[in-house]
């Protein structure tokens, strides 16, 4: 919940303006970007290179010297950590920093919610990777009605649908292992690779990959969302796993965290604070999406009765890890109370 925590550092700004009746200061994203440019923050190659003194200068300029109350070192480190989590390879990205600053200093800090519906696609329900044929024997179709009821009962500020959208030569398919170099640490060879095996692909950094049958191939019927799923007209759509050489379980990042989707920026722009995750599969794309949502600072919930998974052991393991990291495991019946608090 780092976004919410850091936002709390600046509550005094909003309260002070309300009490004094003075003209509101400009904490907009554009203002933040101008200050970042004026302070030449691009001189630092990585976020970790930014000294605390530069962070103080930044907030002094944005907030105003007469208003800024210096943060303690732990608070300053929280801000730098958040910048690192929101940029690719921890590089300085002024536009992303400006978005985050604008979010932290926003005047409207009311609760804003998002429902993230993960991969409710035909191939995971009745196609080549149907969960009911996986070790846990869970039926993905069972969640369609649950998700529809959630959408009907709760007015979320944003609704997101993700879909695996793989090219035919995607590295996650067990049939394609021979097309990509394996790292020396891989214990499974291309010749013996089968579904649910793990290989390690070579590259700038080795990436472990669970192998699957071909599924959710771009433009195929198997990649389409289930026909009975309620799809909101004004929703956000995220395509995952579009690059042949890297898989993408999370709705925010690929598995190597080398490319980022638009989702984090969409949530920042919409001032989202609370994210509810559901869909397929509990122990893979749902879990990885929840972890990244939590890492980026949103208060994150996994709706257990609106998820189905692959393996009992990994389902329980992911639930334990989620709880340990502050992600809440809830039922759909709990959503109303959380939203209304």
């Amino acid at each position: 919940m780092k976004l919410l925590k850091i936002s709390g550092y600046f509550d005094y700004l909003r309260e002070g303006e309300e009490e004094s009746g003075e003209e509101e200061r400009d904490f907009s994203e554009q203002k933040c970007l101008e200050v970042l440019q004026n302070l030449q923050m691009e001189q630092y190659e990585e976020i970790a290179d930014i000294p605390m003194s530069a962070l103080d200068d930044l907030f002094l300029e944005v907030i105003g010297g007469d208003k800024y109350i210096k943060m303690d070192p732990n608070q300053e480190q929280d801000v730098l950590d958040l910048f690192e989590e929101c940029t690719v390879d921890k590089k300085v990205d002024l536009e992303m920093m400006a978005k985050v600053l604008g979010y932290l200093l926003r005047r409207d800090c009311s609760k804003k919610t998002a429902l993230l519906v993960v991969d409710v696609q035909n191939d995971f329900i009745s196609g080549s990777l149907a969960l009911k044929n996986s070790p846990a024997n869970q039926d993905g179709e069972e969640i369609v009605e649950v998700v529809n009821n959630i959408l009907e009962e709760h007015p979320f500020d944003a609704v997101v649908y993700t879909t695996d959208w793989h090219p035919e030569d995607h590295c996650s398919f067990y049939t394609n292992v021979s097309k990509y170099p394996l790292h020396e640490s891989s214990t499974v060879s291309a010749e013996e690779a089968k579904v649910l095996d793990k290989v390690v692909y070579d590259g700038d950094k080795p990436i472990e990959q669970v192998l699957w049958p071909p599924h959710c191939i771009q433009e195929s019927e198997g990649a389409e969302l289930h026909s009975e799923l309620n799809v909101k007209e004004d929703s956000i759509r995220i395509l995952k796993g579009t690059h042949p050489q890297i898989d993408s379980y999370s709705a925010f990042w690929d598995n190597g965290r080398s490319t980022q989707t638009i989702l984090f920026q969409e949530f920042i722009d919409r001032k989202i604070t609370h994210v509810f995750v559901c869909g397929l599969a509990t122990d893979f794309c749902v879990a990885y999406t929840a972890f990244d949502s939590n890492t980026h600072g949103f208060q994150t919930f996994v709706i257990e009765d609106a998820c189905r998974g692959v393996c009992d052991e990994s389902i329980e393991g992911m639930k334990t890890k989620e709880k340990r990291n502050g992600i809440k495991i809830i039922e759909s019946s709990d959503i109303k109370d959380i939203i209304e608090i």
Side-chain angles (χ1 to χ4, degrees):
M1 295 191 296
K2 192 164 286 184
L3 280 171
L4 300 180
K5 175 183 175 184
I6 298 173
S7 293
Y9 299 162
F10 304 108
D11 285 345
Y12 68 91
L13 292 172
R14 294 174 282 269
E15 293 169 358
E17 284 183 347
E18 292 172 2
E19 292 172 0
S20 65
E22 67 182 58
E23 183 177 348
E24 290 186 347
R25 290 176 180 266
D26 182 6
F27 298 144
S28 67
E29 179 184 324
Q30 183 57 40
K31 169 65 174 178
C32 293
L33 181 59
E34 291 173 2
V35 172
L36 286 165
Q37 291 170 335
N38 291 339
L39 292 174
Q40 299 181 322
M41 296 294 279
E42 70 274 9
Q43 68 182 288
Y44 305 107
E45 184 176 348
E46 297 187 353
I47 298 296
D49 298 332
I50 299 175
M52 295 300 186
S53 58
L55 199 63
D56 277 333
D57 291 341
L58 171 60
F59 284 113
L60 278 168
E61 288 294 323
V62 175
I63 295 170
D66 58 328
K67 292 290 183 182
Y68 176 52
I69 299 174
K70 180 176 169 58
M71 290 184 286
D72 66 40
N74 289 333
Q75 293 170 334
E76 291 173 330
Q77 190 60 54
D78 281 342
V79 175
L80 289 177
D81 289 346
L82 181 61
F83 286 152
E84 281 193 340
E85 291 164 0
C86 302
T87 54
V88 176
D89 293 332
K90 301 181 179 180
K91 301 294 185 181
V92 171
D93 182 331
L94 296 191
E95 292 187 358
M96 184 64 78
M97 289 176 69
K99 281 184 177 293
V100 173
L101 286 171
Y103 180 100
L104 297 177
L105 296 169
R106 70 196 187 283
R107 290 184 173 81
D108 180 7
C109 289
S110 59
K111 183 181 296 182
K112 294 190 183 297
T113 60
L115 179 69
L116 232 169
V117 184
V118 177
D119 298 358
V120 186
Q121 295 169 266
N122 292 330
D123 269 345
F124 297 126
I125 293 172
S126 57
S128 62
L129 195 42
L131 294 184
K132 60 188 175 184
N133 298 327
S134 296
N137 300 124
Q138 297 188 357
D139 188 349
E141 192 169 26
E142 293 174 348
I143 74 166
V144 174
E145 184 177 359
V146 181
V147 174
N148 287 344
N149 288 338
I150 291 170
L151 287 164
E152 182 178 345
E153 294 172 6
H154 306 291
F156 296 96
D157 295 289
V159 177
V160 182
Y161 299 89
T162 78
T163 51
D164 268 5
W165 195 250
H166 298 314
E168 292 185 355
D169 58 345
H170 196 254
C171 66
S172 70
F173 302 165
Y174 80 99
T175 52
N176 288 334
V177 175
S178 61
K179 297 178 181 179
Y180 302 98
L182 293 175
H183 189 262
E184 61 183 10
S185 65
S186 183
T187 59
V188 176
S189 68
E191 293 73 26
E192 61 188 357
K194 59 185 183 299
V195 174
L196 291 182
D197 278 346
K198 293 180 181 179
V199 296
V200 181
Y201 286 121
D202 203 1
D204 293 337
K205 54 182 178 181
I207 296 289
E208 184 179 77
Q209 175 66 55
V210 177
L211 299 177
W212 310 101
H215 64 279
C216 299
I217 294 173
Q218 296 171 7
E219 307 296 344
S220 70
E221 182 180 351
E224 294 178 3
L225 293 171
H226 190 280
S227 60
E228 294 182 11
L229 180 68
N230 180 2
V231 178
K232 296 289 187 180
E233 290 184 2
D234 58 348
S235 59
I236 301 167
R237 295 295 296 271
I238 300 294
L239 303 181
K240 304 190 290 88
T242 60
H243 301 294
Q245 298 182 359
I246 188 73
D247 208 355
S248 183
Y249 294 154
S250 168
F252 293 88
W253 291 88
D254 68 34
N255 288 2
R257 291 184 76 83
S258 58
T259 58
Q260 188 176 21
T261 72
I262 63 169
L263 188 55
F264 176 72
Q265 293 189 46
E266 288 281 356
F267 281 177
I268 290 293
D269 289 341
R270 296 164 190 251
K271 307 298 186 285
I272 298 300
T273 59
H274 293 62
V275 176
F276 296 83
V277 187
C278 62
L280 310 173
T282 309
D283 39 342
F284 285 92
C285 295
V286 168
Y288 280 76
T289 295
F291 290 137
D292 278 347
S293 172
N294 181 65
T295 296
H296 282 321
F298 304 107
Q299 188 161 347
T300 303
F301 305 84
V302 172
I303 310 170
E304 188 169 19
D305 59 325
C307 299
R308 295 294 185 272
V310 176
C311 302
D312 290 327
E313 182 178 356
S314 56
I315 290 170
E316 291 305 312
M318 285 300 188
K319 284 168 59 178
T320 298
K321 185 176 178 182
E322 286 165 353
K323 292 175 183 177
R324 189 165 60 241
N325 283 275
I327 297 168
K328 306 296 183 184
I329 311 296
I330 64 169
E331 299 292 315
S332 56
S333 57
D334 299 322
I335 297 173
K336 184 171 185 279
D337 289 339
I338 296 169
I339 290 178
E340 292 183 353
I341 291 175

